[in-house]
Amino acid sequence: MDKLIITVLGKDRPGIIAATAKSLFDLNCNLENVNQVILQNQFSGIFIVLPPPELSLNTVKTTLEKDLADTGIYIHVNLADTAPNGNGKGEGENFIITTIGPDQKGLVAKFTRIIADANVNVTNLRAVFKGGDTPGANIMVYEVLITPDTDQKALFSALRDKAAGLGLDVSIQHKNIFQAINKI
């Protein structure tokens, strides 16, 4: 069987990853990638696994549902699409785009539209909106892969213009520079 992608969602509590990993181990599946995040009190985990050839997708799904039945966790199992990404390029340089400022509806939609229109892929997004009297606590961090054929000047100009129009501070840095600065 091909690789599986397993999504695990629910109210956070200790032991979700342990229970999921144990169930997959008992099925003789190999965990190839795991990424999890907690947003407020909600757990979201994505597991990419390589099951043994004789194991069916349905067996993995029913076993996980049975093993995690008492946790209130939602589980979705599907075949992983391992074809190259949308633009098929996969080559480029990683940049970090950070915006800080007052929260308002549509921020993520507005910035990701600009990024998508430049045919640039968002490889990681972290948005923290705490609102209140501290607009500096509202931060969005986009990691993007910019391919060699991207018009960087036009993209960065569009992002700066949008940020200025929305009253946001924006920072655009090559990932290597961002990491070097943040290590100091």
Side-chain angles (χ1 to χ4, degrees), residues 3 62 77 107 110 114 140 151 157 164 168 174 181-182:
K3 294 177 185 178
T62 56
V77 179
L107 288 177
K110 291 171 185 172
I114 293 169
M140 294 189 298
D151 184 346
S157 177
L168 302 173
H174 192 280
I181 290 172
N182 288 293

Side-chain angles (χ1 to χ4, degrees), residues 155-168:
L155 171 62
F156 297 164
S157 177
L159 290 167
R160 287 187 179 105
D161 289 348
K162 180 59 72 180
L166 296 169
L168 302 173

Side-chain angles (χ1 to χ4, degrees), residues 37-108:
V37 66
I38 298 167
L39 298 176
Q40 298 182 11
N41 67 349
Q42 299 300 308
F43 175 91
S44 172
I46 300 173
F47 300 73
I48 294 182
V49 303
L50 181 62
E54 70 279 4
L55 196 62
S56 74
L57 183 149
N58 194 46
T59 299
V60 173
K61 182 174 176 25
T62 56
T63 301
L64 284 169
E65 287 173 343
K66 183 179 109 250
D67 290 351
L68 301 174
D70 63 342
T71 64
I73 298 295
Y74 170 79
I75 298 166
H76 180 78
V77 179
N78 206 352
L79 290 174
D81 182 356
T82 56
N85 288 347
N87 63 14
K89 298 171 186 167
E91 292 182 15
E93 297 180 81
N94 290 302
F95 280 76
I96 306 294
I97 302 165
T98 305
T99 65
I100 300 174
D103 186 18
Q104 48 197 293
K105 288 183 181 177
L107 288 177
V108 173

Side-chain angles (χ1 to χ4, degrees), residues 105-124:
K105 288 183 181 177
L107 288 177
V108 173
K110 291 171 185 172
F111 279 91
T112 54
R113 174 50 43 207
I114 293 169
I115 294 166
D117 287 347
N119 198 27
V120 169
N121 193 27
V122 176
T123 57
N124 195 5

